[in-house]
Amino acid sequence: MADILQILILGLALGGVYALMGAGLSLVFGVMRIVNLAHPSLIMMGAYVAFWGFRLYGIDPIVMLPVAMVILAATGVLLYKLVFEREAKSAKYSEMTVLLTFAFAMVFEGALATAFTNTQRVTTPDYAVDAIFIGNVFIPLGQLYAGIVSLVLIGALALYLKYSRFGYAIRATTQNREAAELLGVNVNFVGLVSFAIGLALAGAAGALVSFVFSFFPSKHWEWIAILMSLVVLGGMGSILGTVVAAYILSVVAAFVGFFFGATLSTLTFFVALFVVLLVRPQGLFGEKPELA
Amino acid sequence: MSLLTVKNVVAGYGDGPAILNGASVDVQPGKVHCIIGPNGAGKSTLLKAICGMLKIRSGEVTFKGESLKGLRPDQVLRKGICFVPQERALFPKMTVRENLRMGGFSMTDKRLLEKRIDEIEERFPILKERRDQHAGTMSGGQQQTLSMARTMILRPEIVMLDEPSLGLAPKIVQEIFDIIRVMAADGITILIVEQNALMGLRCADWGVVLDLGRTLFEGPAEEVLADPRIREAYLGAKKAA
Ligand SMILES: Nc1ncnc2c1ncn2[C@@H]1O[C@H](COP(=O)(O)OP(=O)(O)OP(=O)(O)O)[C@@H](O)[C@H]1O
Ligand SMILES: [Mg+2]
């Protein structure tokens, strides 16, 4: 029984981190129809921002988190202005962005490898190697903190989208771009801000990931597969769906890992990806795909 | 005395060919205007050109003596012209109340907005009943009601509706036309595009026949209904007679 509870808690803590990793990807897809294959490499940049602050100045990665968010958001504004805004009129926008972001992922990986080498890294604040016991249940503090911070950020995003005026504009643009424009929403500006928020979330996720997983520049390829499975299971563009999918898959993966070993644990995500695409391609919360 | 004049407008999508090739409409204040014409005639395109979604290549669109050419959709909206596009004008995963709030997105006075929404809810009880339900889960008729009611939040001078009866059962179509009459009685000038030409013209004061991007005829709706050539070519007179 304690085992089950233990696995469940570990799964949920990591689920929060996965949810945060996927939330930005989902937001950007929803608003912009950009399938951002560079998203995990941007999370990686966030991780290196945290690593750099920790290694050079001994700053706690959670303290570096806002810094990573700001740096990544600024990167987002720049990328959007230089690349994605210009291409927005292209009829093949979504398809094009797949190639573009794939190229960016490789560029960012190369830049990170040049700056930080391909050595495995991890930030090691005190709590990352500490744990608490509640009864027989053992909880690593690093994962617990990362899970809580993720949940707080996702909650803040949800409240912002639900209640702020700009949140209305973002949701409206996601659901019906043309109607939003007709009602006076500046959809291009919404695109810019959403892109920046999406990348800020990637930065935040990176700072948390820096003490939860070890990382090296080319590891983002592994993450993209995991994130794709979350986004597809959740339903493309549905942030709520992505978050729910992250918790479900993370818990399932934790159980699979416990009973069948770590290798099969990661496989959970890929199997889920295939099964969802075969059985319910629109995911949990997505709309039926249109025959366009 | 026209409120809005569309004169010899030429427009198209992007760099593509001209879809409108001399479209003209004379919009009189407080009247209901119905644009008819076969599929692909450019009816939707005309409404899009008026509301600023398409660039007008030549010709004129004047609203109260002011040119609307080159304005963005939000600027045209602020002048008092609301456009409800064909189908899917709503935000399906926002609640009914949130959809109404989006109708007043361009308003800066939040309190006034909430007050107007309350008024709309009084006039359309179904919207009050369904206020917390996602718009996408309502029936087609209810969704169309919401789309139309939503325009009234801004107290517009002109409302343009693209095929408001599309895909609705006959009884519901009646209800939609009743709402159009209510809006007209409120003093809102209406411009509708209707596939159901007979019904549209019967509800309208003014009829416009558009084909191949060109206005072939415009005049009082009774005249359009009575014209034998128009009846035969565009109203399926053989069936209806
Ligand atoms: N987004 C678009 N891009 C390019 N061409 C378009 C676009 N929308 C419509 N067209 C073309 O413009 C022409 C007129 O279309 P429009 O939608 O205005 O016709 P309509 O009179 O509204 O017809 P319907 O009764 O079918 O709604 C058609 O030939 C169509 O192919
Ligand atoms: Mg049309």
Side-chain angles (χ1 to χ4, degrees):
Chain A
M1 191 54 215
D3 275 350
I4 304 283
L5 198 62
Q6 163 97 57
I7 300 162
L8 191 66
I9 289 174
L10 291 181
L12 288 175
L14 268 190
V17 180
Y18 286 132
L20 187 64
M21 290 168 83
L25 184 64
S26 196
L27 175 70
V28 167
F29 178 79
V31 175
M32 299 288 304
R33 304 287 138 185
I34 294 175
V35 181
N36 189 6
L37 295 179
H39 194 78
S41 66
L42 292 158
I43 295 175
M44 192 63 80
M45 276 171 80
Y48 275 101
V49 170
F51 174 74
W52 169 74
F54 185 78
R55 178 55 76 83
L56 255 51
Y57 307 104
I59 306 173
D60 188 295
I62 295 182
V63 176
M64 280 305 278
L65 180 142
V67 179
M69 286 179 81
V70 170
I71 292 178
L72 268 291
T75 309
V77 170
L78 215 66
L79 276 182
Y80 185 86
K81 278 283 168 199
L82 291 178
V83 183
F84 295 105
E85 186 177 65
R86 291 167 178 226
E87 303 300 338
K89 286 184 195 74
S90 158
K92 295 259 172 234
Y93 189 58
S94 275
E95 291 89 329
M96 231 159 100
T97 59
V98 172
L99 296 177
L100 268 173
T101 57
F102 185 81
F104 277 122
M106 299 211 281
V107 171
F108 296 149
E109 177 188 332
L112 288 174
T114 309
F116 297 96
T117 76
N118 253 324
T119 319
Q120 288 231 18
R121 309 284 193 184
V122 67
T123 57
T124 48
D126 294 337
Y127 49 79
V129 287
D130 206 350
I132 51 170
F133 280 89
I134 300 174
N136 282 335
V137 180
F138 152 88
I139 306 174
L141 275 185
Q143 297 192 11
L144 182 67
Y145 288 177
I148 291 172
V149 174
S150 298
L151 206 57
V152 168
L153 285 172
I154 290 167
L157 175 69
L159 291 177
Y160 180 69
L161 290 177
K162 179 76 184 167
Y163 295 109
S164 76
R165 183 178 141 87
F166 206 78
Y168 270 74
I170 291 178
R171 283 190 291 147
T173 306
T174 303
Q175 295 174 31
N176 192 340
R177 190 181 182 88
E178 184 180 282
E181 192 167 19
L182 283 171
L183 294 172
V185 176
N186 183 341
V187 291
N188 187 37
F189 187 63
V190 167
L192 170 70
V193 173
S194 308
F195 200 72
I197 294 176
L199 265 61
L201 293 173
L208 297 177
V209 158
S210 80
F211 57 85
V212 176
F213 306 126
S214 66
F215 54 93
F216 46 92
S218 58
K219 199 182 185 184
H220 68 104
W221 297 119
E222 191 179 310
W223 293 346
I224 190 70
I226 291 176
L227 296 194
M228 278 300 151
S229 71
L230 304 184
V231 170
V232 169
L233 174 61
M236 294 294 275
S238 162
I239 296 174
L240 173 68
T242 302
V243 171
V244 172
Y247 279 105
I248 293 176
L249 288 185
S250 175
V251 168
V252 173
F255 278 100
V256 170
F258 179 77
F259 290 111
F260 305 105
T263 323
L264 289 178
S265 165
T266 316
L267 209 61
T268 309
F269 294 95
F270 309 139
V271 172
L273 180 60
F274 285 123
V275 172
V276 173
L277 285 176
L278 285 175
V279 177
R280 192 180 158 86
Q282 74 270 34
L284 294 174
F285 294 81
E287 262 126 71
K288 281 241 163 68
E290 281 170 52
L291 300 171
Chain B
M1 238 337 270
S2 317
L3 185 59
L4 175 78
T5 335
V6 179
K7 213 168 198 165
N8 293 322
V9 162
V10 176
Y13 295 85
D15 302 325
I19 303 289
L20 296 177
N21 250 313
S24 302
V25 185
D26 193 19
V27 176
Q28 305 292 322
K31 297 270 190 308
V32 177
H33 309 70
C34 180
I35 304 174
I36 64 166
N39 283 7
K43 305 181 296 292
S44 301
T45 307
L46 175 58
L47 299 191
K48 288 182 199 164
I50 295 172
C51 81
M53 287 167 76
L54 295 176
K55 193 173 167 285
I56 292 163
R57 296 178 190 169
S58 73
E60 260 310 326
V61 178
T62 28
F63 177 60
K64 294 180 172 172
E66 249 181 282
S67 175
L68 296 183
K69 257 168 90 169
L71 297 190
R72 292 189 311 265
D74 56 299
Q75 295 170 316
V76 175
L77 181 75
R78 268 169 246 264
K79 299 256 179 219
I81 303 178
C82 264
F83 172 43
V84 180
Q86 193 170 329
E87 297 176 283
R88 300 199 302 152
L90 296 176
F91 307 106
K93 292 192 175 174
M94 290 174 105
T95 65
V96 169
R97 182 96 184 171
E98 288 176 334
N99 267 279
L100 289 172
R101 281 201 193 107
M102 279 309 297
F105 185 80
S106 55
M107 288 169 65
T108 40
D109 185 341
K110 267 207 147 162
R111 218 170 307 135
L112 181 64
L113 172 59
E114 295 299 316
K115 196 175 135 253
R116 295 244 177 111
I117 293 176
D118 290 339
E119 285 168 21
I120 297 283
E121 283 187 342
E122 291 309 315
R123 294 182 70 164
F124 301 95
I126 185 72
L127 301 182
K128 187 172 193 173
E129 212 175 282
R130 301 287 162 101
R131 58 158 40 155
D132 294 320
Q133 189 176 328
H134 280 185
T137 62
M138 296 200 300
S139 73
Q142 290 164 352
Q143 292 194 26
Q144 190 59 41
T145 304
L146 174 56
S147 305
M148 291 163 65
R150 191 176 64 184
T151 63
M152 294 166 82
I153 302 241
L154 290 177
R155 303 261 165 94
E157 295 206 44
I158 300 183
V159 170
M160 304 195 291
L161 304 167
D162 196 351
E163 309 223 5
S165 71
L166 194 75
L168 301 179
K171 186 173 153 283
I172 311 293
V173 172
Q174 273 303 340
E175 288 175 22
I176 296 302
F177 275 100
D178 288 344
I179 297 177
I180 292 175
R181 283 193 197 92
V182 167
M183 291 169 81
D186 260 18
I188 300 175
T189 303
I190 310 266
L191 191 55
I192 55 173
V193 163
E194 247 318 316
Q195 199 62 236
N196 194 335
L198 277 177
M199 190 139 184
L201 286 170
R202 282 193 189 121
C203 168
D205 306 293
W206 194 255
V208 181
V209 182
L210 196 74
D211 199 356
L212 301 171
R214 206 173 259 117
T215 298
L216 296 186
F217 180 88
E218 68 172 320
E222 312 88 75
E223 275 181 37
V224 178
L225 278 167
D227 189 304
R229 280 164 310 167
I230 296 176
R231 286 188 70 93
E232 191 180 330
Y234 302 107
L235 300 176
K238 274 169 215 139
K239 250 188 292 158

